[in-house]
């Protein structure tokens, strides 16, 4: 498998999942600084011009939840209820948390006026703090689903890493802070740091 990524983006989640299971894969860096994600070469891989993109023997996957479930099905709880609760957290991360964060630097996705971009940026500390409060209530501890590491942990970690830069005082959320500490010490995260996926 070949995973296209940019450092510190949501592609980190896919890298963590692959690392958790010891998968054999190749990393391909996409240089956002030079707008490589908008190049014809990359758009032929992911027409959305975003990361991650996972090249597999079956084809290409481009959405984080799909990549996580394909790449590391062993990190899905066997119990249907717990699997559904895991997906509940992951869907929230995709549909709300990531969008809240993106308002800080991707305002052009939703508006055209600079004043609108400024307003969106000012709102980010509030919406991301509300995100942290929601996640605090969802985390069963020590990991998202309790003692078992699941795909939700791979997905939450990069978003939690964005939070201080988004104006969130993580120390106000003890379960989330403890999760960041514990999950951040895992070999999967250490390898991501060594490989330059997390900086």
């Amino acid at each position: 498998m070949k995973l296209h990524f940019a450092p510190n983006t949501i592609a980190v989640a896919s890298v963590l999942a692959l690392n958790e299971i010891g998968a054999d894969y190749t990393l391909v860096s996409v240089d956002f600084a030079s707008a490589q994600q908008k190049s014809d070469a990359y758009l032929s891989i992911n027409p959305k011009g975003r990361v991650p993109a996972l090249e597999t023997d079956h084809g290409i996957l481009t959405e984080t939840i799909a990549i996580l479930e394909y790449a590391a099905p062993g990190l899905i709880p066997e119990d249907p209820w717990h699997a559904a609760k895991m997906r509940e957290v992951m869907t929230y991360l995709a549909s709300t948390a990531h969008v809240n964060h993106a308002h800080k630097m991707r305002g052009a996705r939703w508006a055209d006026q600079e004043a609108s971009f400024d307003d969106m940026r000012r709102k980010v500390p509030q919406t991301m703090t509300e995100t942290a409060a929601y996640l605090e209530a969802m985390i069963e501890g020590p990991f998202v689903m309790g003692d078992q590491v699941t795909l939700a942990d791979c997905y939450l970690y990069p978003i939690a890493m964005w939070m201080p830069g988004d104006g969130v005082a993580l120390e106000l959320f003890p379960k989330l802070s403890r999760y960041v500490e514990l999950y951040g010490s895992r070999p999967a995260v250490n390898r991501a740091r060594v490989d330059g996926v997390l900086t």
Side-chain angles (χ1 to χ4, degrees):
M1 292 184 291
K2 186 183 294 185
L3 183 75
H4 299 262
F5 80 101
N8 304 317
T9 65
I10 202 60
V12 170
S14 298
V15 172
L16 294 178
L18 291 165
N19 290 351
E20 285 285 357
I21 64 167
D24 182 16
Y25 69 99
T26 302
L27 282 170
V28 180
S29 180
V30 180
D31 183 11
F32 279 24
S34 64
Q36 188 179 2
Q37 75 274 22
K38 298 178 181 178
S39 68
D40 290 341
Y42 187 68
L43 291 174
S44 70
I45 296 166
N46 184 356
K48 289 171 274 193
R50 300 182 188 178
V51 292
L54 181 68
E55 294 188 60
T56 78
D57 292 339
H58 303 286
I60 298 171
L61 290 171
T62 62
E63 292 293 334
T64 297
I65 292 175
I67 291 171
L68 294 179
E69 295 217 12
Y70 173 81
L75 297 181
I76 301 171
E78 293 183 5
D79 177 75
W81 171 254
H82 290 111
K85 292 297 289 183
M86 179 201 73
R87 291 185 179 101
E88 179 182 31
V89 173
M90 291 167 56
T91 304
Y92 174 80
L93 294 173
S95 66
T96 303
H98 195 167
V99 175
N100 287 345
H101 167 75
H103 277 75
K104 183 170 70 175
M105 73 291 265
R106 307 274 187 241
R109 291 180 182 173
W110 298 281
D112 296 315
Q113 302 297 320
E114 188 62 41
S116 300
F117 304 157
D118 291 341
D119 195 32
M120 281 187 260
R121 281 191 287 268
R122 283 192 295 270
K123 189 80 170 175
V124 168
Q126 176 189 332
T127 58
M128 287 302 283
T129 297
E130 291 168 354
T131 292
Y134 175 80
L135 292 167
E136 179 79 1
M138 292 294 289
I139 294 171
E140 296 185 14
F143 302 111
V144 175
M145 300 301 300
D147 293 331
Q148 178 186 3
V149 170
T150 69
L151 295 176
D153 296 294
C154 304
Y155 207 159
L156 174 56
Y157 189 76
I159 289 178
M161 291 295 90
W162 298 338
M163 287 182 175
D166 289 341
V168 178
L170 276 180
E171 64 272 14
L172 299 179
F173 303 99
K175 288 197 294 183
L176 186 57
S177 295
R178 181 65 175 149
Y179 157 81
V180 167
E181 179 184 351
L182 287 174
Y183 192 79
S185 67
R186 290 183 65 80
V189 177
N190 292 333
R191 179 179 169 187
R193 292 194 182 104
V194 169
D195 289 343
V197 178
L198 275 169
T199 60

